[in-house]
Amino acid sequence: MTQTTFPAAFVPLRLAERSIAFKALAVLIGTAFLAVSSWIEVPMFPVPVTMQTFAVTMVGALYGWRLGGLTVLAWLGEAMIGMPVLAGGAGSLLYFAGPTAGYLAAFPVVAAAVGFLAERGLTRNPFVSAAVMLAGNLLCLVLGASWLAHLFGIDAAWASGVAPFLTGAVLKSALAAAAIEMLRRSGIAARLF
């Protein structure tokens, strides 16, 4: 039986090799990054455009699938207890039942999926990395729009929960891939950690 091998992974922070204390610090830093990214927004109804998906895909790619998903879950936990970490400085259980609930539920799935692909070396090439980030953004839109379709119907979900976000998804994916490539080429992460 032959074993499948994957290209060398690029998870620059190498968090899987770190102590529990270091991982806990990384989770805190990641939740802060997610919160700040959430505050960068263009108000739209029913779902604002933010840098959240950029941050979610970056956390997945930099942290790997396990710690990336856990970091996003920790950030959502902060939101659930009322910390102002969501778009517009919001935080409350209400956001987990309204129009944004599907997108919030999608975030840990997206971080884990992007992290899984990063661990298999798919963020080493900037063009493939951009495709991975775009796949993460599109997964978020599909899952979020599924919830919107349940609430408002499929036409409204497409018109207000997918179509306005497609250009942003492409731009945020390219930006995330460029950031990953910059980290890879500079070796900054390896020197810092």
Side-chain angles (χ1 to χ4, degrees), residues 130-184:
V132 167
M133 300 303 177
L134 183 58
N137 274 273
L138 294 177
L139 177 61
C140 186
L141 289 175
V142 166
L143 295 175
S146 297
W147 177 249
L148 282 179
H150 169 73
L151 295 176
F152 304 115
I154 229 166
D155 292 338
W158 170 259
S160 64
V162 176
F165 301 98
L166 291 174
T167 300
V170 171
L171 294 174
K172 288 185 268 185
S173 298
L175 180 61
I180 294 291
E181 182 64 10
M182 183 190 74
L183 282 171
R184 188 183 71 76

Short mmCIF file of all heavy atoms in Angstrom, two decimals, residues 130-184:
data_model
loop_
_atom_site.label_atom_id
_atom_site.label_comp_id
_atom_site.label_asym_id
_atom_site.label_seq_id
_atom_site.Cartn_x
_atom_site.Cartn_y
_atom_site.Cartn_z
N ALA A 130 -4.46 31.90 -2.75
CA ALA A 130 -5.61 32.77 -3.01
C ALA A 130 -6.86 31.94 -3.27
O ALA A 130 -7.96 32.29 -2.81
CB ALA A 130 -5.33 33.69 -4.19
N ALA A 131 -6.71 30.83 -3.97
CA ALA A 131 -7.85 29.94 -4.23
C ALA A 131 -8.36 29.31 -2.94
O ALA A 131 -9.57 29.18 -2.73
CB ALA A 131 -7.46 28.86 -5.24
N VAL A 132 -7.43 28.94 -2.04
CA VAL A 132 -7.82 28.37 -0.75
C VAL A 132 -8.59 29.42 0.06
O VAL A 132 -9.64 29.13 0.65
CB VAL A 132 -6.58 27.88 0.03
CG1 VAL A 132 -6.91 27.59 1.49
CG2 VAL A 132 -6.00 26.63 -0.64
N MET A 133 -8.08 30.64 0.09
CA MET A 133 -8.75 31.71 0.83
C MET A 133 -10.11 32.02 0.23
O MET A 133 -11.09 32.23 0.95
CB MET A 133 -7.88 32.97 0.85
CG MET A 133 -6.53 32.80 1.47
SD MET A 133 -6.61 32.19 3.17
CE MET A 133 -4.87 32.04 3.51
N LEU A 134 -10.19 32.03 -1.11
CA LEU A 134 -11.47 32.28 -1.76
C LEU A 134 -12.45 31.15 -1.47
O LEU A 134 -13.64 31.40 -1.21
CB LEU A 134 -11.29 32.45 -3.27
CG LEU A 134 -12.56 32.79 -4.06
CD1 LEU A 134 -13.20 34.08 -3.55
CD2 LEU A 134 -12.24 32.89 -5.55
N ALA A 135 -11.98 29.91 -1.46
CA ALA A 135 -12.85 28.78 -1.11
C ALA A 135 -13.40 28.96 0.31
O ALA A 135 -14.58 28.70 0.56
CB ALA A 135 -12.09 27.47 -1.24
N GLY A 136 -12.55 29.43 1.23
CA GLY A 136 -13.01 29.70 2.59
C GLY A 136 -14.07 30.79 2.62
O GLY A 136 -15.09 30.66 3.30
N ASN A 137 -13.84 31.86 1.88
CA ASN A 137 -14.82 32.95 1.83
C ASN A 137 -16.14 32.48 1.22
O ASN A 137 -17.22 32.82 1.71
CB ASN A 137 -14.26 34.12 1.01
CG ASN A 137 -13.42 35.06 1.82
OD1 ASN A 137 -13.94 35.98 2.43
ND2 ASN A 137 -12.13 34.81 1.87
N LEU A 138 -16.05 31.68 0.15
CA LEU A 138 -17.27 31.19 -0.49
C LEU A 138 -18.02 30.21 0.40
O LEU A 138 -19.26 30.22 0.45
CB LEU A 138 -16.94 30.56 -1.85
CG LEU A 138 -16.41 31.54 -2.90
CD1 LEU A 138 -16.03 30.79 -4.18
CD2 LEU A 138 -17.40 32.65 -3.19
N LEU A 139 -17.28 29.38 1.13
CA LEU A 139 -17.92 28.48 2.09
C LEU A 139 -18.69 29.27 3.13
O LEU A 139 -19.83 28.93 3.48
CB LEU A 139 -16.87 27.58 2.76
CG LEU A 139 -17.37 26.63 3.84
CD1 LEU A 139 -18.39 25.65 3.29
CD2 LEU A 139 -16.19 25.89 4.47
N CYS A 140 -18.10 30.35 3.60
CA CYS A 140 -18.78 31.21 4.57
C CYS A 140 -20.06 31.80 3.98
O CYS A 140 -21.11 31.82 4.64
CB CYS A 140 -17.83 32.33 5.03
SG CYS A 140 -18.51 33.33 6.35
N LEU A 141 -19.97 32.27 2.74
CA LEU A 141 -21.16 32.84 2.10
C LEU A 141 -22.26 31.80 1.91
O LEU A 141 -23.44 32.09 2.13
CB LEU A 141 -20.78 33.46 0.75
CG LEU A 141 -19.97 34.75 0.81
CD1 LEU A 141 -19.54 35.19 -0.58
CD2 LEU A 141 -20.75 35.85 1.51
N VAL A 142 -21.89 30.61 1.52
CA VAL A 142 -22.89 29.54 1.31
C VAL A 142 -23.57 29.18 2.62
O VAL A 142 -24.81 29.10 2.69
CB VAL A 142 -22.23 28.30 0.67
CG1 VAL A 142 -23.15 27.08 0.75
CG2 VAL A 142 -21.86 28.58 -0.78
N LEU A 143 -22.78 28.98 3.67
CA LEU A 143 -23.38 28.61 4.96
C LEU A 143 -24.20 29.76 5.54
O LEU A 143 -25.30 29.54 6.06
CB LEU A 143 -22.28 28.18 5.93
CG LEU A 143 -21.52 26.90 5.54
CD1 LEU A 143 -20.37 26.64 6.50
CD2 LEU A 143 -22.45 25.71 5.47
N GLY A 144 -23.68 30.98 5.44
CA GLY A 144 -24.42 32.13 5.95
C GLY A 144 -25.70 32.36 5.18
O GLY A 144 -26.76 32.63 5.77
N ALA A 145 -25.63 32.24 3.86
CA ALA A 145 -26.82 32.44 3.03
C ALA A 145 -27.86 31.34 3.24
O ALA A 145 -29.05 31.58 3.09
CB ALA A 145 -26.43 32.52 1.57
N SER A 146 -27.40 30.16 3.61
CA SER A 146 -28.36 29.08 3.91
C SER A 146 -29.27 29.48 5.06
O SER A 146 -30.48 29.24 5.02
CB SER A 146 -27.62 27.79 4.24
OG SER A 146 -26.88 27.36 3.15
N TRP A 147 -28.68 30.09 6.07
CA TRP A 147 -29.48 30.56 7.21
C TRP A 147 -30.39 31.72 6.78
O TRP A 147 -31.56 31.77 7.16
CB TRP A 147 -28.58 30.97 8.37
CG TRP A 147 -29.33 31.51 9.54
CD1 TRP A 147 -29.32 32.80 9.99
CD2 TRP A 147 -30.22 30.81 10.41
NE1 TRP A 147 -30.15 32.94 11.07
CE2 TRP A 147 -30.70 31.72 11.35
CE3 TRP A 147 -30.65 29.49 10.47
CZ2 TRP A 147 -31.59 31.36 12.36
CZ3 TRP A 147 -31.54 29.12 11.48
CH2 TRP A 147 -32.00 30.06 12.40
N LEU A 148 -29.86 32.65 5.99
CA LEU A 148 -30.68 33.75 5.50
C LEU A 148 -31.84 33.23 4.66
O LEU A 148 -32.96 33.75 4.75
CB LEU A 148 -29.84 34.73 4.67
CG LEU A 148 -28.95 35.69 5.42
CD1 LEU A 148 -28.18 36.56 4.43
CD2 LEU A 148 -29.75 36.56 6.37
N ALA A 149 -31.59 32.22 3.84
CA ALA A 149 -32.66 31.64 3.02
C ALA A 149 -33.74 31.04 3.90
O ALA A 149 -34.94 31.15 3.59
CB ALA A 149 -32.09 30.59 2.08
N HIS A 150 -33.33 30.43 5.00
CA HIS A 150 -34.30 29.89 5.96
C HIS A 150 -35.17 31.01 6.54
O HIS A 150 -36.37 30.84 6.72
CB HIS A 150 -33.55 29.15 7.07
CG HIS A 150 -34.38 28.78 8.24
ND1 HIS A 150 -35.32 27.77 8.20
CD2 HIS A 150 -34.43 29.29 9.49
CE1 HIS A 150 -35.91 27.68 9.38
NE2 HIS A 150 -35.38 28.58 10.18
N LEU A 151 -34.54 32.16 6.82
CA LEU A 151 -35.28 33.28 7.42
C LEU A 151 -36.10 34.08 6.42
O LEU A 151 -37.24 34.46 6.71
CB LEU A 151 -34.31 34.23 8.13
CG LEU A 151 -33.54 33.72 9.34
CD1 LEU A 151 -32.57 34.78 9.84
CD2 LEU A 151 -34.50 33.29 10.44
N PHE A 152 -35.51 34.35 5.24
CA PHE A 152 -36.11 35.32 4.32
C PHE A 152 -36.40 34.79 2.92
O PHE A 152 -36.95 35.51 2.10
CB PHE A 152 -35.19 36.55 4.18
CG PHE A 152 -34.84 37.21 5.47
CD1 PHE A 152 -33.53 37.22 5.93
CD2 PHE A 152 -35.82 37.82 6.25
CE1 PHE A 152 -33.19 37.83 7.12
CE2 PHE A 152 -35.49 38.43 7.44
CZ PHE A 152 -34.18 38.44 7.89
N GLY A 153 -35.99 33.58 2.61
CA GLY A 153 -36.16 33.03 1.27
C GLY A 153 -34.89 33.11 0.46
O GLY A 153 -34.00 33.91 0.75
N ILE A 154 -34.82 32.28 -0.56
CA ILE A 154 -33.58 32.14 -1.33
C ILE A 154 -33.23 33.40 -2.12
O ILE A 154 -32.07 33.78 -2.21
CB ILE A 154 -33.66 30.90 -2.23
CG1 ILE A 154 -32.40 30.09 -2.06
CG2 ILE A 154 -33.84 31.20 -3.66
CD1 ILE A 154 -32.48 28.71 -2.60
N ASP A 155 -34.23 34.07 -2.69
CA ASP A 155 -33.95 35.27 -3.48
C ASP A 155 -33.37 36.38 -2.61
O ASP A 155 -32.40 37.04 -2.98
CB ASP A 155 -35.21 35.76 -4.19
CG ASP A 155 -35.68 34.81 -5.28
OD1 ASP A 155 -34.83 34.03 -5.78
OD2 ASP A 155 -36.87 34.83 -5.63
N ALA A 156 -33.96 36.57 -1.45
CA ALA A 156 -33.46 37.59 -0.53
C ALA A 156 -32.08 37.22 -0.01
O ALA A 156 -31.22 38.10 0.16
CB ALA A 156 -34.43 37.76 0.65
N ALA A 157 -31.84 35.94 0.24
CA ALA A 157 -30.53 35.49 0.71
C ALA A 157 -29.45 35.79 -0.33
O ALA A 157 -28.37 36.27 0.00
CB ALA A 157 -30.55 34.00 1.05
N TRP A 158 -29.76 35.51 -1.59
CA TRP A 158 -28.78 35.80 -2.65
C TRP A 158 -28.55 37.31 -2.76
O TRP A 158 -27.41 37.77 -2.81
CB TRP A 158 -29.25 35.24 -3.99
CG TRP A 158 -28.40 35.72 -5.13
CD1 TRP A 158 -28.69 36.73 -6.00
CD2 TRP A 158 -27.09 35.27 -5.47
NE1 TRP A 158 -27.65 36.92 -6.88
CE2 TRP A 158 -26.65 36.04 -6.57
CE3 TRP A 158 -26.24 34.30 -4.95
CZ2 TRP A 158 -25.41 35.86 -7.17
CZ3 TRP A 158 -24.99 34.12 -5.55
CH2 TRP A 158 -24.59 34.89 -6.65
N ALA A 159 -29.65 38.07 -2.81
CA ALA A 159 -29.55 39.51 -3.04
C ALA A 159 -28.89 40.27 -1.90
O ALA A 159 -28.16 41.23 -2.13
CB ALA A 159 -30.95 40.08 -3.31
N SER A 160 -29.12 39.83 -0.67
CA SER A 160 -28.58 40.59 0.46
C SER A 160 -27.47 39.87 1.23
O SER A 160 -26.76 40.50 2.01
CB SER A 160 -29.70 40.95 1.45
OG SER A 160 -30.26 39.78 2.00
N GLY A 161 -27.29 38.57 0.98
CA GLY A 161 -26.31 37.83 1.75
C GLY A 161 -25.18 37.20 0.96
O GLY A 161 -24.25 36.66 1.55
N VAL A 162 -25.25 37.27 -0.37
CA VAL A 162 -24.19 36.68 -1.19
C VAL A 162 -23.67 37.69 -2.22
O VAL A 162 -22.50 38.06 -2.21
CB VAL A 162 -24.65 35.39 -1.90
CG1 VAL A 162 -23.55 34.84 -2.80
CG2 VAL A 162 -25.06 34.33 -0.88
N ALA A 163 -24.54 38.12 -3.12
CA ALA A 163 -24.12 38.97 -4.24
C ALA A 163 -23.31 40.20 -3.81
O ALA A 163 -22.26 40.47 -4.40
CB ALA A 163 -25.34 39.37 -5.07
N PRO A 164 -23.74 40.94 -2.78
CA PRO A 164 -22.97 42.13 -2.41
C PRO A 164 -21.58 41.82 -1.84
O PRO A 164 -20.73 42.71 -1.76
CB PRO A 164 -23.82 42.81 -1.33
CG PRO A 164 -25.14 42.17 -1.36
CD PRO A 164 -24.96 40.82 -1.99
N PHE A 165 -21.35 40.58 -1.48
CA PHE A 165 -20.11 40.21 -0.80
C PHE A 165 -19.09 39.50 -1.71
O PHE A 165 -17.98 39.21 -1.28
CB PHE A 165 -20.42 39.32 0.41
CG PHE A 165 -21.32 40.00 1.40
CD1 PHE A 165 -22.69 39.75 1.40
CD2 PHE A 165 -20.81 40.89 2.31
CE1 PHE A 165 -23.52 40.38 2.29
CE2 PHE A 165 -21.63 41.53 3.23
CZ PHE A 165 -23.00 41.29 3.21
N LEU A 166 -19.47 39.22 -2.95
CA LEU A 166 -18.58 38.46 -3.82
C LEU A 166 -17.30 39.22 -4.18
O LEU A 166 -16.20 38.66 -4.13
CB LEU A 166 -19.32 38.03 -5.09
CG LEU A 166 -20.40 36.97 -4.86
CD1 LEU A 166 -21.19 36.71 -6.14
CD2 LEU A 166 -19.79 35.68 -4.33
N THR A 167 -17.43 40.49 -4.51
CA THR A 167 -16.23 41.28 -4.83
C THR A 167 -15.32 41.37 -3.61
O THR A 167 -14.10 41.20 -3.72
CB THR A 167 -16.62 42.69 -5.31
OG1 THR A 167 -17.44 42.55 -6.48
CG2 THR A 167 -15.39 43.53 -5.63
N GLY A 168 -15.90 41.61 -2.45
CA GLY A 168 -15.12 41.66 -1.21
C GLY A 168 -14.43 40.34 -0.92
O GLY A 168 -13.29 40.32 -0.45
N ALA A 169 -15.11 39.25 -1.22
CA ALA A 169 -14.52 37.92 -0.98
C ALA A 169 -13.27 37.74 -1.83
O ALA A 169 -12.25 37.24 -1.36
CB ALA A 169 -15.54 36.82 -1.28
N VAL A 170 -13.34 38.16 -3.08
CA VAL A 170 -12.18 38.04 -3.98
C VAL A 170 -11.05 38.93 -3.47
O VAL A 170 -9.89 38.50 -3.39
CB VAL A 170 -12.57 38.39 -5.43
CG1 VAL A 170 -11.34 38.49 -6.32
CG2 VAL A 170 -13.55 37.36 -5.98
N LEU A 171 -11.36 40.17 -3.12
CA LEU A 171 -10.33 41.11 -2.65
C LEU A 171 -9.70 40.64 -1.34
O LEU A 171 -8.47 40.68 -1.19
CB LEU A 171 -10.92 42.51 -2.50
CG LEU A 171 -11.37 43.18 -3.79
CD1 LEU A 171 -12.07 44.50 -3.50
CD2 LEU A 171 -10.20 43.39 -4.73
N LYS A 172 -10.52 40.20 -0.39
CA LYS A 172 -10.00 39.73 0.89
C LYS A 172 -9.16 38.46 0.72
O LYS A 172 -8.17 38.27 1.41
CB LYS A 172 -11.14 39.51 1.89
CG LYS A 172 -11.74 40.81 2.40
CD LYS A 172 -12.78 40.57 3.46
CE LYS A 172 -14.15 40.45 2.88
NZ LYS A 172 -15.21 40.34 3.89
N SER A 173 -9.55 37.61 -0.22
CA SER A 173 -8.79 36.39 -0.49
C SER A 173 -7.41 36.72 -1.05
O SER A 173 -6.40 36.14 -0.65
CB SER A 173 -9.55 35.50 -1.46
OG SER A 173 -10.78 35.10 -0.91
N ALA A 174 -7.38 37.67 -1.98
CA ALA A 174 -6.10 38.09 -2.56
C ALA A 174 -5.22 38.73 -1.50
O ALA A 174 -4.01 38.47 -1.43
CB ALA A 174 -6.34 39.05 -3.72
N LEU A 175 -5.81 39.55 -0.64
CA LEU A 175 -5.06 40.20 0.43
C LEU A 175 -4.50 39.17 1.41
O LEU A 175 -3.34 39.24 1.82
CB LEU A 175 -5.95 41.21 1.16
CG LEU A 175 -5.32 41.96 2.32
CD1 LEU A 175 -4.13 42.80 1.85
CD2 LEU A 175 -6.37 42.85 2.99
N ALA A 176 -5.31 38.18 1.78
CA ALA A 176 -4.85 37.13 2.70
C ALA A 176 -3.72 36.32 2.07
O ALA A 176 -2.71 36.03 2.72
CB ALA A 176 -6.01 36.22 3.09
N ALA A 177 -3.86 35.97 0.80
CA ALA A 177 -2.80 35.21 0.11
C ALA A 177 -1.52 36.03 0.03
O ALA A 177 -0.41 35.50 0.22
CB ALA A 177 -3.27 34.80 -1.28
N ALA A 178 -1.64 37.33 -0.23
CA ALA A 178 -0.47 38.20 -0.29
C ALA A 178 0.20 38.29 1.08
O ALA A 178 1.44 38.27 1.18
CB ALA A 178 -0.86 39.59 -0.78
N ALA A 179 -0.59 38.38 2.14
CA ALA A 179 -0.03 38.44 3.50
C ALA A 179 0.70 37.14 3.84
O ALA A 179 1.80 37.16 4.41
CB ALA A 179 -1.13 38.72 4.52
N ILE A 180 0.11 36.01 3.49
CA ILE A 180 0.75 34.72 3.74
C ILE A 180 2.07 34.62 2.96
O ILE A 180 3.08 34.18 3.48
CB ILE A 180 -0.19 33.55 3.34
CG1 ILE A 180 -1.41 33.51 4.26
CG2 ILE A 180 0.54 32.21 3.34
CD1 ILE A 180 -1.15 33.11 5.68
N GLU A 181 2.04 35.05 1.70
CA GLU A 181 3.25 35.00 0.87
C GLU A 181 4.34 35.92 1.44
O GLU A 181 5.51 35.57 1.47
CB GLU A 181 2.92 35.39 -0.58
CG GLU A 181 4.09 35.33 -1.52
CD GLU A 181 4.69 33.94 -1.72
OE1 GLU A 181 4.09 32.93 -1.27
OE2 GLU A 181 5.77 33.86 -2.33
N MET A 182 3.92 37.09 1.92
CA MET A 182 4.89 38.00 2.54
C MET A 182 5.53 37.35 3.77
O MET A 182 6.74 37.41 3.95
CB MET A 182 4.22 39.31 2.93
CG MET A 182 5.17 40.34 3.52
SD MET A 182 4.32 41.75 4.22
CE MET A 182 3.67 41.04 5.72
N LEU A 183 4.74 36.72 4.58
CA LEU A 183 5.26 36.02 5.76
C LEU A 183 6.20 34.89 5.34
O LEU A 183 7.25 34.70 5.94
CB LEU A 183 4.12 35.46 6.60
CG LEU A 183 3.38 36.44 7.48
CD1 LEU A 183 2.14 35.78 8.08
CD2 LEU A 183 4.28 36.97 8.57
N ARG A 184 5.80 34.15 4.32
CA ARG A 184 6.62 33.02 3.87
C ARG A 184 7.97 33.50 3.35
O ARG A 184 9.01 32.97 3.72
CB ARG A 184 5.89 32.24 2.78
CG ARG A 184 6.59 30.94 2.39
CD ARG A 184 5.88 30.22 1.26
NE ARG A 184 6.02 30.89 -0.01
CZ ARG A 184 7.12 30.86 -0.76
NH1 ARG A 184 8.19 30.21 -0.36
NH2 ARG A 184 7.17 31.49 -1.91
#
